[in-house]
Amino acid sequence: MLHKKLATIEDVAALAGVSIATVSRALNEPTKVADSTRRRVSEAIAQTGYTTNAMARNLRMRRSNMILILAPDVGDPNFSNILVGLETEASKRGYGLLIGNTQNDPLREADYLRFISSNQADGLILLTGHLPYGIGEAEGSMRLPPMVAVGEPVPNADIPFIGVDNLEAARIATEHLIAQGHKRIAFIGRSSGRAVNSLRERGYRAALQGAGIAVDPAMIIDGDGTTESGRAAAELMFVRDHLPTAFFCVNDATALGVMISLNARRYDLPADFSVMGFDDISFSSFVTPALTTMKQPRLNIGERAMDMLLALLEGGEPREREVLFRAELIVRNSVKAPRTRF
Amino acid sequence: MLHKKLATIEDVAALAGVSIATVSRALNEPTKVADSTRRRVSEAIAQTGYTTNAMARNLRMRRSNMILILAPDVGDPNFSNILVGLETEASKRGYGLLIGNTQNDPLREADYLRFISSNQADGLILLTGHLPYGIGEAEGSMRLPPMVAVGEPVPNADIPFIGVDNLEAARIATEHLIAQGHKRIAFIGRSSGRAVNSLRERGYRAALQGAGIAVDPAMIIDGDGTTESGRAAAELMFVRDHLPTAFFCVNDATALGVMISLNARRYDLPADFSVMGFDDISFSSFVTPALTTMKQPRLNIGERAMDMLLALLEGGEPREREVLFRAELIVRNSVKAPRTRF
DNA sequence: AGGCTGGATGTAAACCTTTACAGAGCGCAT
DNA sequence: ATGCGCTCTGTAAAGGTTTACATCCAGCCT
């Protein structure tokens, strides 16, 4: 009602004295129309202010040029840069991004699939770590759209994954602690359900075994990756009075929780305890002591993931099952050699 | 090519033995079709797995049910929760969110407007604090779409604004410092170009004047709201050796920068200096000392903004020119009475 | 019996493109 | 002259809805 009345291809055609087919061709296959005609069309377009109506085009082409992003929480500092990467690549290739914040609510996940089933999105990016609820239910109801998983792999499903090599990165992190002289290293944030947590735990175990250090089950504490879970885990270790010299945390948020607990207990970091994180989210460099951690190349991950999805969309078969980036060890001040106190 | 061949309204009509008009009515105006028919249609829909093709509908209705969000950086911790609020309300009302990350690049802003001009988005949410470049240029080319500004008001344009009452909140923050006994209070983050910064500065001035404290120009330092600018501002004050007892920072990121500078100089916070922030972004509670700040009700702001935009879209005239929320003073540990050192 | 009302349904146009196919015009070789 | 090939353009169908308008029919009133 505000848009007055937009010019259509017909207005342009009339003004240029050609048929609508020619106008369309002038726009989409310029080589196929004579120079003089093309000029007239361009002029008519400029004069009318014509823009292609994307809805009509989409209907005809059966393509929306839109990608649906499913994420549990777009505010998560770990996602934000991935999002930017996704967006950069998508926008460069003429695609738009539809965001679906699911809060891990199955209902919302299912609801967002309406964009897929109603043809409003051509592909799907999964940041959730699992297939959206209700995607494969009714038999003929919905074919799986092209999709890729980013950050968190999707277990038990044949979906291309783009992310960091979590096992390898966790191994490197743990080896860094070992290299500083730590032998009693806790792993904070075990969670059998989450693929990322499991992989990082395996990397931790691999490093210990590689160094001939026995894995002590009491040094492995559950956690869901929140700051609060990190705090609680550290507290638990103090209650049990079975302490490590270093904490390897499943992510920076957890590490922050551990540091809060240690600070509250008036320990001197990193002299009394070393803390290592994973992710390198923005404030990790601001905290005191600044957190040593593994940095994910989030921007690259996002770009690569979008590139892969679009290739899938335009090309057909996926070329790779997974693309693993290397995480980079960022050395700051939260890790030091252990005190030789015994 | 993966979607086999979706069922159309015609398939449903054939199966139910009615015309396509009836199917459409059964879906959109159920009261207008007989009970028995409606049942047959429902059954046919279930059997075929039919879903309305949104593109066709959008084309016909001249509506996309899509909202474009223009933000300089979706990763900004200050935006993230606003985004969640926007998303919650939009999704509740059946709208989708298109994200446009502009990085403050005029080209990208202009590019994103293609969604508006090509009818792929019905409305616009501006988190940028200014009209997108290229919106009012060519005369008839593009009518202004319905839009609202969130977080940052848009100067010199008649656009509804939803956000916090920055002037009032800054006054409250400053008064809190004054109430603790501070008289030499710096304002870090002056920026004449940014509406938010200006408003907060005015609140700061109002509080000082209200308390009969003269405004000292040397206590007002420029800054663009980044952590680095906060650090640099604090350093500058030390170089000039003209020091406040408290720093009121235009936002938490700036406050963090100030604290980094103070920590590096081995000051004891908050004993030596008080620091007050604005925004209450997530890590403000984790930093040491935990930051006293003004909390923006971001979720509410987002929801309200979307509500307002949709009302504009569906109703017509805006009911309010602006909706101001009150920011809440969050008292933590970074503010204390000044040392009586002279 | 005739006419009127109102509810349920069908017909067809409109929304705006893209593109397969056909046709026109022209140069050139046969 | 005829035919062929090439370039450029036009015609019309198709994509899947929504909805104004027409139609039909049953019931009811006079």
Side-chain angles (χ1 to χ4, degrees):
Chain A
M1 71 198 64
L2 272 171
H3 294 260
K4 271 281 171 172
K5 180 95 169 207
L6 258 21
T8 78
I9 200 173
E10 223 152 338
D11 301 330
V12 176
L15 192 60
V18 295
S19 78
I20 60 168
T22 302
V23 175
S24 175
R25 273 189 293 256
L27 277 128
N28 304 319
E29 307 159 295
T31 64
K32 292 199 175 174
V33 358
D35 281 9
S36 61
T37 324
R38 197 169 50 230
R39 258 194 302 279
R40 285 215 312 284
V41 171
S42 302
E43 204 172 317
I45 287 177
Q47 211 164 322
T48 53
Y50 168 75
T51 333
T52 309
N53 180 322
M55 291 166 165
R57 154 184 268 159
N58 290 347
L59 172 58
R60 175 62 222 241
M61 314 267 289
R62 292 165 140 171
R63 244 153 175 289
S64 60
N65 285 335
M66 216 58 97
I67 302 294
L68 176 62
I69 313 272
L70 242 38
D73 177 12
V74 284
D76 186 325
N78 208 0
F79 287 166
S80 56
N81 260 333
I82 292 185
L83 213 59
V84 173
L86 290 168
E87 205 265 358
T88 304
E89 183 66 20
S91 149
K92 196 190 301 175
R93 312 255 297 253
Y95 281 77
L97 248 48
L98 218 50
I99 88 155
N101 199 56
T102 66
Q103 327 260 44
N104 273 322
D105 178 351
L107 257 58
R108 305 196 62 169
E109 289 181 6
D111 181 50
Y112 266 112
L113 291 181
R114 75 175 191 276
F115 287 111
I116 299 290
S117 60
S118 70
N119 278 359
Q120 272 185 113
D122 300 332
L124 190 53
I125 296 260
L126 288 178
L127 290 162
T128 53
H130 57 262
L131 282 179
Y133 182 80
I135 201 166
E137 53 179 40
E139 177 54 21
S141 87
M142 195 187 321
R143 286 268 147 281
L144 286 190
M147 53 183 161
V148 305
V150 184
E152 299 238 8
V154 174
N156 309 323
D158 190 29
I159 297 177
F161 168 72
I162 289 87
V164 108
D165 186 340
N166 285 293
L167 195 153
E168 182 60 17
R171 186 216 301 270
I172 292 173
T174 310
E175 281 169 353
H176 176 67
L177 291 170
I178 294 170
Q180 300 295 311
H182 292 278
K183 292 191 160 42
R184 295 169 19 110
I185 303 172
F187 179 81
I188 311 294
R190 197 188 88 98
S191 172
S192 56
R194 300 160 166 257
V196 167
N197 297 45
S198 301
L199 284 166
R200 292 180 188 172
E201 183 188 340
R202 283 175 50 199
Y204 157 83
R205 286 168 180 271
L208 290 187
Q209 282 163 12
I213 301 174
V215 173
D216 177 357
M219 284 286 149
I220 300 183
I221 314 286
D222 285 357
D224 60 3
T226 59
T227 298
E228 174 50 27
S229 83
R231 203 195 53 74
E235 290 299 317
L236 181 65
M237 297 197 87
F238 280 105
V239 168
R240 288 192 188 154
D241 198 21
H242 191 67
L243 294 171
T245 61
F247 294 85
F248 173 39
C249 305
V250 76
N251 61 21
D252 285 359
T254 301
L256 186 63
V258 168
M259 283 173 58
I260 287 173
S261 162
L262 297 177
N263 279 328
R265 286 171 174 274
R266 301 268 160 221
Y267 284 104
D268 180 18
L269 302 186
D272 295 333
F273 295 100
S274 286
V275 178
M276 166 147 243
F278 198 116
D279 281 347
D280 192 28
I281 60 183
S282 68
F283 70 77
S284 297
S285 59
F286 299 142
V287 103
T288 5
L291 193 61
T292 293
T293 189
M294 300 300 296
K295 174 177 185 166
Q296 297 206 40
R298 281 186 282 272
L299 229 55
N300 295 340
I301 291 177
E303 289 180 5
R304 193 69 162 72
M306 184 54 68
D307 178 56
M308 182 132 172
L309 179 61
L310 297 186
L312 226 59
L313 232 59
E314 289 161 5
E317 281 314 289
R319 282 174 311 218
E320 303 129 306
R321 289 249 60 64
E322 65 178 6
V323 178
L324 294 183
F325 283 81
R326 293 189 43 179
E328 181 189 358
L329 175 65
I330 304 287
V331 177
R332 295 206 184 93
N333 306 322
S334 66
V335 172
K336 238 193 165 177
R339 209 163 249 175
T340 51
R341 40 181 159 176
F342 304 105
Chain B
M1 70 197 63
L2 272 171
H3 294 260
K4 271 281 171 174
K5 178 96 170 209
L6 259 21
T8 78
I9 200 173
E10 224 154 335
D11 301 330
V12 175
L15 192 59
V18 295
S19 77
I20 61 169
T22 302
V23 175
S24 175
R25 273 190 292 256
L27 261 67
N28 304 319
E29 308 160 294
T31 62
K32 292 199 176 175
V33 357
D35 282 9
S36 61
T37 326
R38 198 169 49 232
R39 256 193 303 280
R40 285 215 313 284
V41 171
S42 303
E43 204 171 318
I45 288 178
Q47 213 163 320
T48 54
Y50 168 76
T51 334
T52 308
N53 180 322
M55 291 166 166
R57 155 184 269 159
N58 290 347
L59 171 58
R60 174 61 222 238
M61 312 269 288
R62 293 164 136 172
R63 241 150 180 292
S64 60
N65 284 335
M66 214 59 95
I67 303 293
L68 176 62
I69 314 272
L70 241 38
D73 176 13
V74 284
D76 187 325
N78 208 1
F79 287 166
S80 57
N81 260 333
I82 292 184
L83 214 58
V84 173
L86 290 168
E87 205 265 359
T88 304
E89 183 66 19
S91 149
K92 197 190 299 173
R93 313 254 296 253
Y95 281 77
L97 248 48
L98 219 49
I99 87 154
N101 199 57
T102 68
Q103 327 259 43
N104 273 323
D105 178 352
L107 258 57
R108 305 197 62 170
E109 289 181 6
D111 181 50
Y112 266 111
L113 291 180
R114 74 175 192 276
F115 287 111
I116 299 290
S117 60
S118 70
N119 278 358
Q120 272 183 114
D122 301 333
L124 190 52
I125 297 260
L126 288 178
L127 290 161
T128 54
H130 56 264
L131 282 180
Y133 183 80
I135 203 166
E137 54 179 41
E139 176 54 22
S141 87
M142 196 186 321
R143 287 267 147 282
L144 286 190
M147 53 183 162
V148 305
V150 184
E152 299 238 7
V154 173
N156 309 324
D158 190 28
I159 297 177
F161 168 71
I162 289 87
V164 109
D165 186 339
N166 285 294
L167 195 154
E168 181 60 17
R171 187 215 300 269
I172 291 172
T174 311
E175 280 169 353
H176 176 67
L177 290 170
I178 295 170
Q180 301 296 310
H182 291 278
K183 293 191 160 43
R184 294 163 27 103
I185 302 172
F187 178 81
I188 311 294
R190 196 188 90 96
S191 171
S192 55
R194 300 162 166 255
V196 166
N197 297 44
S198 302
L199 284 166
R200 292 181 189 172
E201 182 188 341
R202 282 175 52 198
Y204 157 82
R205 286 167 180 273
L208 290 187
Q209 282 164 12
I213 302 174
V215 174
D216 177 357
M219 285 285 149
I220 299 183
I221 314 285
D222 284 356
D224 61 3
T226 59
T227 299
E228 174 50 27
S229 82
R231 202 195 53 75
E235 289 299 316
L236 181 65
M237 298 197 87
F238 280 104
V239 169
R240 289 190 186 156
D241 198 21
H242 191 66
L243 292 171
T245 61
F247 295 83
F248 172 39
C249 305
V250 76
N251 61 21
D252 285 359
T254 300
L256 186 62
V258 168
M259 283 173 59
I260 287 173
S261 162
L262 296 177
N263 278 327
R265 287 171 173 274
R266 301 268 160 220
Y267 284 104
D268 180 18
L269 303 186
D272 296 331
F273 296 98
S274 286
V275 178
M276 166 147 242
F278 198 115
D279 281 347
D280 192 27
I281 61 183
S282 68
F283 71 77
S284 298
S285 60
F286 299 142
V287 103
T288 4
L291 193 62
T292 293
T293 190
M294 301 300 296
K295 174 179 186 165
Q296 297 205 41
R298 281 186 283 272
L299 229 55
N300 295 340
I301 290 176
E303 288 181 5
R304 194 70 162 71
M306 184 55 68
D307 178 58
M308 183 133 171
L309 179 61
L310 297 187
L312 226 59
L313 233 59
E314 289 160 6
E317 280 315 287
R319 282 174 311 218
E320 304 128 305
R321 290 249 57 67
E322 64 178 6
V323 178
L324 294 184
F325 283 81
R326 294 190 43 181
E328 182 189 356
L329 175 65
I330 304 287
V331 176
R332 295 206 184 93
N333 306 321
S334 66
V335 172
K336 238 191 164 177
R339 207 163 251 175
T340 50
R341 40 182 159 175
F342 304 104

